[in-house]
Amino acid sequence: MHFLRHILILASVCCLLSPYAEAQNTITAEATSLTDGERWTLTASLANTATYIAFQADVVLPDGVTLEDGSLQATARLQDHNVSATTLSDGRVRIVAYSNTNTAIAESTGTLFSINLVAETPLTEAATVTLRNLLFTDDEYNEATLPAVTVALSPKQTTLRGDVNGDGTVNGLDIVAVISIVLGSESDTYDTAAADLNNDDTINGLDIVGLINLVLTAQ
């Protein structure tokens, strides 16, 4: 009976410690927009308690999105490593990092690398990038597979030209809103991109005239 009790206690401890141990070595990713709906920087970071000397990561891209040539940037955590990015035949991007002297990846947290991604045509809806096959080798040459992670690429933002107050229609209320902007009124509810009718990056009387013509034409 005592023996069974010890077994149950050990099993419970293992169940508690196992997910905790896995959580100590994790990859996170972030995609930052560089050009609206067309170009992003993908950044991968590692938090680790294990001592890793090399890794491989596959970046699975959505259709129409590719690696920007020469965009791979390794951080100081990999300063003693050879790091490469290769596009495979199925479109995946494989990142490989290793050290000729088996130097450990520096620090225990922070960014490992970044790459730029480019869309053939602007994305009209969010798309997902997955980092998987995250194989890490420790200083005793044991391999560990870390959990896959996903990150979203933001789509191109669509603005209805002239819809300054953001109600989905272009009418006299938007003319009033543009006039308010030109007179110096500040409001978080106004869409200044929609107010720049002539796309000269300045909102002035020309935009008021343009919006009036737009409203009259639509009627």
Side-chain angles (χ1 to χ4, degrees):
M1 190 69 177
H2 290 296
F3 175 76
L4 289 175
R5 183 178 300 169
H6 287 305
I7 292 295
L8 289 172
I9 292 173
L10 286 172
S12 299
V13 170
C14 288
C15 289
L16 289 171
L17 289 180
S18 180
Y20 176 79
E22 292 179 359
Q24 300 311 294
N25 302 291
T26 56
I27 286 284
T28 56
E30 180 180 7
T32 304
S33 177
L34 298 176
T35 304
D36 190 22
E38 299 180 33
R39 188 166 171 259
W40 308 261
T41 293
L42 176 69
T43 303
S45 301
L46 170 69
N48 58 295
T49 55
T51 301
Y52 293 127
I53 60 174
F55 72 86
Q56 167 190 301
D58 285 350
V59 183
V60 182
L61 303 176
D63 292 339
V65 176
T66 58
L67 170 69
E68 182 177 272
D69 290 340
S71 65
L72 173 64
Q73 296 290 328
T75 69
R77 297 192 67 186
L78 299 173
Q79 62 182 350
D80 294 319
H81 289 68
N82 300 299
V83 188
S84 63
T86 305
T87 300
L88 305 181
S89 59
D90 60 2
R92 284 178 296 159
V93 176
R94 175 160 291 174
I95 311 294
V96 175
Y98 66 92
S99 168
N100 291 328
T101 57
N102 292 334
T103 301
I105 295 174
E107 308 295 335
S108 60
T109 186
T111 302
L112 291 178
F113 67 87
S114 67
I115 55 175
N116 290 345
L117 305 176
V118 182
E120 295 175 1
T121 58
L123 296 184
T124 57
E125 57 185 25
T128 300
V129 172
T130 302
L131 278 70
R132 62 182 180 86
N133 294 338
L134 304 175
L135 305 178
F136 282 74
T137 303
D138 66 21
D139 53 351
E140 296 181 351
Y141 304 103
N142 299 309
E143 280 196 350
T145 302
L146 303 190
V149 295
T150 60
V151 63
L153 300 181
S154 57
K156 185 175 181 63
Q157 300 298 311
T158 57
T159 298
L160 177 59
R161 184 167 171 260
D163 182 20
V164 183
N165 64 359
D167 64 357
T169 59
V170 180
N171 53 32
L173 295 176
D174 298 298
I175 296 174
V176 173
V178 174
I179 292 173
S180 297
I181 294 173
V182 172
L183 293 177
S185 175
E186 296 184 2
S187 174
D188 293 337
T189 62
Y190 292 157
D191 186 342
T192 54
D196 185 16
L197 271 290
N198 59 359
N199 296 316
D200 64 354
D201 296 324
T202 302
I203 301 173
N204 52 31
L206 294 176
D207 298 299
I208 296 174
V209 173
L211 184 52
I212 291 173
N213 289 334
L214 186 63
V215 171
L216 293 176
T217 302
Q219 291 179 348

